[in-house]
Amino acid sequence: MSLRRNSVFFTFLLLLAGLFAVSQSGGFEVKRYFTLLAVLVEESWIPLSWIMGAAGWGWLAEWLFLGRTGREINIQVLFGIGLQLLLDWVLSWTVGLSNELVWGLNGVGWGLLALQLVLELQRFRRADWRGIGHWGVLLSVLPTCLLLGACTIPPGILWPSEYGGYDVLEYHLQLPKEWMKLGRMAGLEHNVFSFLPNLVESGYFHMALYKGSAIEAGYAAQLFSSATAVLVAWIVGRTAVSLGRRDPMASGSDGPRVAFAVSAIYLAVPWTLVTGSIAYNEQTMMAFGAGALYLAFGRKLEYSSPSSEFRRGTAIGFLCALSILAKPSSVLLIAAPICLVWLSTTWHRIGTFTVRLTGTISSCLPLLALWMTRNYFWTGNPFFPILTQRFGTGHWTSEQASRWHRAVSSSLSLGERIPILLSQVHGLFHPQFGWILIPALGISIWYVTKRR
């Protein structure tokens, strides 16, 4: 126990030292350090209160989908984030969001969390807190410091690769700003991105109501994005060792070392630092995808009965749908691959395959249908701004629809696209990826070879 306490203590000291180093990157000036800490202290209450409320909702959601609660804190928090975002999203474009409503949503979540603490106090004492005191946490501290330090910079300044976070000012925070004036989420004819699902942006809308301004809630949105990045790292680390027979976090096993190394690698990838420190939706999309991957292949969730397989299917479908509502490109990059691989493992057992497929579809399609229904009432095209040739152009002229189609599609044949794809392989060696992923690949190969 003393060793664990020491590791927690040194982790905290390293975190403070790392934040100091980050604050001095532009030259030595001590007051910048205290400014950084002041921003973190003053602004973090908004995402923390939102996530705490979400954790309460997650207690309910985890029971609904998996028939159990409190087994793994990361999964509960993930389900809670998904359910609370979904409530924010549906309410924002139906009845509209208000200060009373968002405080009410959070209040219910806090109440559920308090009830769980009362009913499951003994379980919480035995919960999976072992990783907090492991020395491997130190691996993740430095990239976390970079992540948090970047979150204290106002939106629109950092990251030339993102043109200073242009998309943040164009729609991730701009849409909540305009929705606040309207009192509800609405399709805006001057901003085509308002017709995307905007699941995460509804959460930013919620947080903006706390501050009374979407722009003033920019720090909170960035800190929420960084919190989801840490959650992704946590889940990815557990997934990396979840297929082993032993408890992946048990003392004496390789599980903790592998889990924390993988988590640190994820946080250290520069693309994670970029997208996790500005008010984007990538890390939330990744969180739902990582959760679906863990539920599909996690050792602790290997079921055999049809009812449990159906439950797991609904949970995976729920998370995959949320990843798509967070960012539609997840359809091809995350949701479809996870579902196809998971379902393919039982293609030779038609009964299990059918139960899994039915469960996945029963939760995924209705959520996606909500977005399509909303867009249909707004534009007459359930998929707007895509498929305008088939379902209609909405408020656009035919020229505007054609311009959008040319911008987001390619006229090249498959044979012409393959050489272009191959020419991009060198991008894996770009400093934004290669300095982390290439050494990580070598370490992984060495580890697997050693284990055999």
Side-chain angles (χ1 to χ4, degrees):
M1 182 61 71
S2 60
L3 182 62
R4 183 172 300 168
R5 287 174 179 168
N6 286 338
S7 66
V8 171
F9 176 72
F10 283 113
T11 298
F12 180 71
L13 287 183
L14 184 59
L15 178 65
L16 292 179
L19 289 173
F20 180 82
V22 169
S23 70
Q24 304 305 303
S25 58
F28 184 76
E29 192 173 355
V30 176
K31 68 178 182 180
R32 284 208 303 268
Y33 177 56
F34 293 103
T35 301
L36 182 151
L37 292 180
V39 172
L40 290 178
V41 172
E42 292 175 9
E43 302 295 335
S44 61
W45 73 267
I46 295 178
L48 283 177
S49 65
W50 192 98
I51 291 172
M52 285 180 64
W57 286 107
W59 181 54
L60 175 64
E62 191 179 18
W63 175 77
L64 289 174
F65 282 102
L66 298 176
R68 57 159 178 76
T69 61
R71 300 283 180 86
E72 292 178 89
I73 303 303
N74 53 350
I75 298 301
Q76 176 177 331
V77 172
L78 178 65
F79 271 111
I81 289 174
L83 183 56
Q84 186 157 282
L85 279 177
L86 190 61
L87 291 171
D88 283 339
W89 182 65
V90 172
L91 291 172
S92 66
W93 55 266
T94 52
V95 300
L97 288 183
S98 64
N99 288 81
E100 296 78 13
L101 188 55
V102 297
W103 279 109
L105 284 174
N106 265 117
V108 173
W110 298 332
L112 288 169
L113 185 61
L115 179 61
Q116 181 188 14
L117 288 172
V118 172
L119 297 178
E120 302 184 359
L121 184 59
Q122 292 301 319
R123 180 176 289 178
F124 263 92
R125 289 175 177 172
R126 300 191 304 268
D128 191 7
W129 303 106
R130 288 167 290 175
I132 294 178
H134 194 279
W135 285 99
V137 173
L138 296 173
L139 292 172
S140 301
V141 170
L142 293 180
T144 300
C145 289
L146 287 173
L147 194 63
L148 293 177
C151 287
T152 64
I153 305 298
I157 296 177
L158 283 182
W159 313 128
S161 66
E162 301 305 298
Y163 303 97
Y166 175 75
D167 283 356
V168 172
L169 303 180
E170 180 190 28
Y171 81 97
H172 292 298
L173 292 181
Q174 177 64 23
L175 293 180
K177 176 184 176 183
E178 298 194 41
W179 294 337
M180 284 188 68
K181 294 179 181 178
L182 298 172
R184 62 190 300 144
M185 178 187 288
L188 308 173
E189 294 189 1
H190 60 276
N191 194 326
V192 67
F193 297 105
S194 64
F195 297 94
L196 297 179
N198 292 314
L199 179 72
V200 180
E201 287 69 25
S202 69
Y204 296 157
F205 185 12
H206 181 141
M207 296 177 201
L209 287 168
Y210 285 158
K211 296 282 283 189
S213 166
I215 300 303
E216 290 186 14
Y219 289 122
Q222 291 180 164
L223 288 166
F224 173 79
S225 184
S226 68
T228 55
V230 173
L231 180 61
V232 176
W234 187 4
I235 296 173
V236 167
R238 295 301 301 267
T239 303
V241 292
S242 64
L243 296 178
R245 292 184 178 179
R246 290 181 294 181
D247 185 342
M249 301 305 293
S251 59
S253 75
D254 289 333
R257 289 189 290 274
V258 173
F260 287 117
V262 171
S263 297
I265 288 170
Y266 180 82
L267 288 174
V269 173
W271 187 241
T272 301
L273 295 172
V274 170
T275 59
S277 60
I278 50 182
Y280 269 15
N281 48 24
E282 269 81 1
Q283 291 305 314
T284 309
M285 172 191 70
M286 290 292 291
F288 295 134
L293 189 69
Y294 182 71
L295 292 181
F297 304 105
R299 178 188 63 83
K300 287 188 176 182
L301 297 168
E302 292 177 353
Y303 302 115
S304 57
S305 68
S307 61
S308 58
E309 288 288 358
F310 180 81
R311 280 182 177 272
R312 184 156 61 143
T314 59
I316 291 171
F318 176 72
L319 293 177
C320 284
L322 291 177
S323 74
I324 296 169
L325 294 177
K327 192 174 179 67
S329 58
S330 170
V331 172
L332 297 177
L333 299 177
I334 293 178
I338 290 174
C339 289
L340 288 174
V341 173
W342 182 60
L343 292 171
S344 69
T345 60
T346 57
W347 67 269
H348 56 290
R349 290 181 287 156
I350 189 64
T352 304
F353 176 86
T354 302
V355 169
R356 286 186 174 187
L357 180 63
T358 303
T360 304
I361 291 175
S362 66
S363 60
C364 185
L365 290 188
L367 293 184
L368 298 182
L370 286 175
W371 170 45
M372 297 174 195
T373 302
R374 185 205 69 180
N375 271 17
Y376 176 78
F377 281 104
W378 283 359
T379 68
N381 177 352
F383 301 98
F384 189 84
I386 62 175
L387 300 180
T388 52
Q389 304 95 323
R390 181 177 295 273
F391 294 100
T393 59
H395 62 274
W396 276 351
T397 65
S398 57
E399 172 57 29
Q400 287 175 312
S402 176
R403 192 183 307 161
W404 171 270
H405 180 71
R406 290 195 302 269
V408 300
S409 62
S410 173
S411 59
L412 297 176
S413 66
L414 180 61
E416 293 172 317
R417 296 182 191 188
I418 290 176
I420 297 176
L421 176 64
L422 295 176
S423 70
Q424 300 301 310
V425 172
H426 72 278
L428 292 175
F429 296 90
H430 189 281
Q432 207 169 41
F433 303 100
W435 290 354
I436 299 294
L437 295 182
I438 302 305
L441 177 62
I443 293 171
S444 300
I445 293 173
W446 169 81
Y447 179 77
V448 171
T449 303
K450 178 188 132 177
R451 293 282 288 181
R452 290 183 179 177

